[in-house]
C-alpha cells in the first residue's frame, strides 16, 4: 500500500513556527490550511501582552468594572481560570508583572520592549472575575495578564476545529502538537520528546491510539534571561522561576488543556504535579529537578518508550 498524499504548510506566528500536515486526497488543501493558520494570527492579535492595541492589553488597562470582551478572549480566560483553580494557583494568568520582572518584556523573536503601567505584584487569578452570561471580565486589582502559557494551545484547538473535515492531520506550533487520525502510512502518529538537558537526545517517544490528541511540553531550557527561565512560580511573592522540574509533557484531548496543565505541573514538581495530571485525567511525563523521570497515566491512551529505541 502506497503512502497517502501529504500536504505541508508552514508560517510564523506567536513568536514561533507553525506547520500543518494534511493527509489524504484533498483538492482544497491550500484553502483549508489558510483557514486553520489564520487562527494563530487572530489569537495573537487578541491575546498578546506585547501589543498595546491587543484586546488583552486594553482589558489590562481597566479595573473595578465589568468589561465586555470577545468570545475568543473570554474563552481563553475561562480555560486559564479553570486551570488556575484546579492547580490552586500553580498556573496563574495574572503573573504578567513577575514574568516582565524576569526580563521577558519583548516578543521572543525580537521587537520593542513593553513598558508596564501601575500593577499589583500580589495579584492572582482570584482577582479576575468572569461573567459568562455577559461575556465580560472584571479585574479587581491593577494587574498584568499573561496568557502565553495557554494561548498557543488554544490557537491549535481552533485550527483543528477549522480542519474538522480533514480526517488525518498534524499541527505543530513550536513543538506543541495536535494529531488526528493516522499518518501517511496509515500508522498511529508518533512523536519524540526532547531531553531537557540535551536537545540532541531523545527523552522518550510516544504513540497514542486516540482519534485526536494533543502533546504540549513546558521546560526550563527554551527561554531564559540572566534572572532565570520564563516559567514563573506564581505562589511566590517575588519574581521567581519555578525550580522543581526540568520539563513536563502532557498528552490530553485538547491542546489548551495540555498546555496549561504542563505549566502547572512544572511549577508543582513531580509529586504534586503527577497528582494534578492524574486528577485531570491526562497522561504525562515529568522530569524532576534531579533528572528523575515520572510517568503519569491519567488518560491511559498513550504508550511511551523512554530513551532511545
Amino acid at each position: 500500500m502506497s503512502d497517502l498524499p501529504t500536504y505541508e504548510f508552514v508560517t510564523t506566528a506567536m513568536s514561533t513556527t507553525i506547520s500543518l500536515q494534511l493527509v489524504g486526497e484533498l483538492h482544497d488543501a491550500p484553502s483549508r490550511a489558510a483557514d486553520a493558520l489564520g487562527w494563530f494570527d487572530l489569537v495573537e492579535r487578541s491575546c498578546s501582552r506585547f501589543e498595546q492595541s491587543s484586546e488583552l492589553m486594553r482589558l489590562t488597562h481597566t479595573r473595578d468594572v465589568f468589561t465586555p470582551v470577545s468570545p475568543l478572549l473570554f474563552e481563553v480566560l475561562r480555560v486559564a481560570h479553570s486551570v488556575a483553580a484546579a492547580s490552586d494557583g500553580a498556573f496563574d494568568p495574572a503573573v504578567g508583572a513577575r514574568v516582565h520582572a524576569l526580563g521577558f518584556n519583548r516578543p521572543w523573536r525580537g521587537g520593542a520592549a513593553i513598558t508596564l503601567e501601575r500593577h499589583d505584584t500580589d495579584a492572582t487569578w482570584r482577582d479576575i472575575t468572569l461573567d459568562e452570561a455577559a461575556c465580560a471580565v472584571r479585574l479587581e486589582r491593577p494587574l498584568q495578564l499573561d496568557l502565553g502559557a495557554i494561548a498557543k494551545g488554544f490557537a491549535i484547538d481552533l485550527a483543528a476545529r477549522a480542519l474538522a473535515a480533514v480526517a488525518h492531520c498534524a499541527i505543530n506550533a513550536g513543538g506543541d502538537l495536535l494529531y488526528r487520525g493516522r499518518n501517511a502510512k496509515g500508522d498511529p502518529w508518533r512523536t519524540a520528546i526532547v531531553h531537557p538537558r540535551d536537545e540532541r537526545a531523545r527523552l522518550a517517544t510516544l504513540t497514542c491510539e486516540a482519534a485526536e490528541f494533543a502533546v504540549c511540553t513546558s521546560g526550563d531550557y527554551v527561554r531564559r534571561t540572566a534572572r532565570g527561565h520564563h516559567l514563573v512560580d506564581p505562589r511566590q511573592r517575588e519574581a521567581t522561576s519555578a525550580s522543581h522540574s526540568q520539563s513536563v509533557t502532557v498528552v490530553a484531548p485538547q491542546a489548551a488543556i495540555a498546555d496549561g496543565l504542563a505549566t502547572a505541573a512544572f511549577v508543582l514538581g513531580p509529586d504534586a504535579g503527577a497528582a494534578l495530571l492524574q486528577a485531570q485525567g491526562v497522561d504525562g511525563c515529568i522530569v524532576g529537578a534531579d533528572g528523575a523521570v515520572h510517568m503519569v497515566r491519567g488518560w491511559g491512551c498513550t504508550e511511551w518508550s523512554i530513551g532511545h529505541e
Side-chain angles (χ1 to χ4, degrees):
M1 177 180 174
S2 59
D3 293 356
L4 292 172
T6 300
Y7 307 86
E8 298 190 13
F9 304 88
V10 180
T11 191
T12 300
M14 305 182 80
S15 294
T16 195
T17 300
I18 316 294
S19 65
L20 302 182
Q21 288 186 47
L22 310 185
V23 178
E25 296 289 352
L26 299 168
H27 69 277
D28 55 352
S31 62
R32 291 183 185 273
D35 290 343
L37 292 172
W39 282 107
F40 290 92
D41 286 328
L42 184 59
V43 172
E44 185 172 27
R45 290 199 303 272
S46 178
C47 300
S48 174
R49 69 180 178 90
F50 301 112
E51 295 292 338
Q52 292 296 333
S53 62
S54 74
E55 188 178 11
L56 179 76
M57 291 303 290
R58 295 198 305 272
L59 174 63
T60 297
H61 296 152
T62 69
R63 184 163 62 94
D64 295 334
V65 61
F66 275 103
T67 303
V69 298
S70 68
L72 189 157
L73 180 58
F74 187 88
E75 187 63 14
V76 178
L77 285 168
R78 188 190 67 78
V79 174
H81 210 264
S82 297
V83 176
S87 65
D88 197 24
F91 173 95
D92 194 329
V95 299
R98 278 174 277 184
V99 173
H100 183 97
L102 286 177
F104 298 97
N105 60 352
R106 65 182 70 231
W108 186 242
R109 290 200 171 188
I114 61 171
T115 301
L116 292 187
E117 296 184 359
R118 187 169 66 93
H119 57 267
D120 190 337
T121 55
D122 291 333
T124 74
W125 64 276
R126 293 181 176 86
D127 297 309
I128 305 167
T129 303
L130 305 179
D131 183 339
E132 189 163 1
C135 196
V137 182
R138 177 187 174 108
L139 305 182
E140 309 297 342
R141 297 186 183 190
L143 57 84
Q144 179 64 47
L145 291 164
D146 181 2
L147 297 175
I150 204 167
K152 187 167 61 172
F154 195 83
I156 291 172
D157 290 332
L158 290 172
R161 188 172 68 177
L163 296 171
V166 179
H168 310 283
C169 62
I171 304 171
N172 185 337
D176 288 337
L177 309 157
L178 185 140
Y179 295 109
R180 177 184 297 148
R182 301 268 171 155
N183 64 23
K185 295 181 181 297
D187 298 325
W189 294 100
R190 304 172 76 243
T191 189
I193 307 302
V194 69
H195 195 288
R197 292 295 177 264
D198 184 357
E199 64 181 11
R200 298 167 299 177
R202 178 185 303 172
L203 173 71
T205 302
L206 67 89
T207 59
C208 185
E209 291 290 348
E212 183 169 311
F213 64 97
V215 183
C216 294
T217 298
S218 291
D220 64 3
Y221 52 91
V222 178
R223 299 183 178 183
R224 302 189 68 91
T225 67
R227 294 196 57 191
H229 60 77
H230 71 295
L231 295 168
V232 171
D233 187 342
R235 302 167 301 173
Q236 305 296 322
R237 294 179 65 87
E238 301 298 325
T240 306
S241 296
S243 60
H244 299 305
S245 309
Q246 295 181 12
S247 72
V248 175
T249 297
V250 171
V251 186
Q254 296 90 30
I257 297 301
D259 206 2
L261 288 177
T263 298
F266 182 97
V267 171
L268 289 169
D271 293 338
L276 172 67
L277 301 187
Q278 183 79 32
Q280 295 301 310
V282 300
D283 291 346
C285 177
I286 302 175
V287 182
D290 60 358
V293 178
H294 307 261
M295 306 305 301
V296 181
R297 302 286 287 174
W299 190 19
C301 292
T302 312
E303 294 298 329
W304 299 78
S305 175
I306 303 299
H308 294 282
E309 296 181 318

